[in-house]
Amino acid sequence: MKATGIVRRIDDLGRVVIPKEIRRTMRIREGDPLEIFTDKDGGLIFKKYSPIGELGDFSAQICESMRRSTDCITAVCDRDAVIAVAGGAKRELLDKPISAQLGELMEERAMYRRGAASGFLPVCGSDERYGIGVAAPILAEGDVLGCVLFVTEKNALPLGEVEYKLAQTVSTFLGKQMES
C-alpha cells in the first residue's frame, strides 16, 4: 500500500471524500462502485469494482468464439481496461488501460464502426498500433459496464456488417447476463 499523505475526516453520515486528484488518477467517476477490503493491520482498501471483470474467463471464451467465426482480433473491456483478447495482440492489449476515445465511445452508449471517413481511434492509450474497428457497449439496467470490440491494425480496411452485428449480439448477451 502506498501512502498519499492526504488525511480526511469521516462526516456524521459516515462518508469520506476521496480527493479529486485521486479520483482523476484512478479514473473513479461519480456512481462508480467501490469494493471495500480490510487488512489484518486495520487498514481499509477501496478498490474499483468491475462487474464485467467477474466474467473474465467467460469473456475470454466469447472472444475466442468470435475470433474463430471472423478471424479478427476480438476483445472485451470494462470501463477501465481490456479484460479479454483473442486473435493476437494479447500482450499489447490485455490488462492495459483503455484510451480516452474508447471511454468516450462507451459513454455515448451507441455502436461504433470505423469507416473510410472516420479517423483511427486507439484501443489503449499506450499503444497506437491497434484501433477500434467495431465497438458495442455492454449495457445492463441502463449502466455502461464495458464494451465488445473488434480490433484492427492502423492501416486495415474497415470491417463489415458481420462483425458489426456479432459485436452487437455479444454485447447484448453479456448485458443480459449481468442483469440476471
Side-chain angles (χ1 to χ4, degrees):
M1 217 173 354
K2 187 169 80 171
T4 63
I6 300 169
V7 176
R8 296 291 172 138
R9 295 196 183 279
I10 297 175
D11 71 7
D12 58 336
L13 295 176
R15 297 177 295 199
V16 176
V17 175
I18 299 172
K20 187 175 187 174
E21 185 56 37
I22 291 175
R23 291 192 320 261
R24 186 177 321 148
T25 303
M26 302 302 293
R27 297 177 126 187
I28 298 171
R29 295 173 286 277
E30 183 180 330
D32 281 354
L34 297 176
E35 198 167 7
I36 303 169
F37 297 91
T38 59
D39 66 15
K40 62 181 181 256
D41 300 326
L44 288 176
I45 300 165
F46 288 88
K47 183 179 176 193
K48 282 185 74 172
Y49 176 72
S50 170
I52 202 74
E54 300 290 320
L55 296 177
D57 292 337
F58 187 62
S59 296
Q61 291 172 1
I62 285 181
C63 283
E64 186 58 34
S65 295
M66 291 191 311
R67 187 206 59 78
R68 286 184 188 153
S69 298
T70 61
D71 204 30
C72 295
I73 300 170
T74 59
V76 173
C77 65
D78 63 13
R79 292 182 59 186
D80 298 307
V82 177
I83 63 168
V85 179
K90 193 175 271 190
R91 186 177 334 120
E92 293 86 354
L93 299 175
L94 190 61
D95 296 326
K96 300 290 191 293
I98 64 168
S99 67
Q101 296 95 325
L102 179 52
E104 290 169 13
L105 277 178
M106 281 192 275
E107 289 304 317
E108 290 174 8
R109 294 174 161 72
M111 292 281 298
Y112 168 83
R113 178 172 27 182
R114 181 176 150 215
S118 60
F120 177 82
L121 301 177
V123 174
C124 297
S126 61
D127 195 327
E128 292 282 328
R129 290 178 292 172
Y130 297 101
I132 303 163
V134 172
I138 301 168
L139 304 173
E141 299 175 359
D143 294 328
V144 178
L145 302 180
C147 200
V148 174
L149 302 168
F150 277 95
V151 179
T152 61
E153 292 189 24
K154 194 163 193 166
N155 298 322
L157 295 173
L159 297 175
E161 191 69 21
V162 171
E163 291 82 7
Y164 185 85
K165 291 291 188 186
L166 186 55
Q168 185 177 43
T169 302
V170 170
S171 69
T172 302
F173 176 76
L174 287 173
K176 295 290 182 196
Q177 290 297 307
M178 296 309 298
E179 287 177 357
S180 59

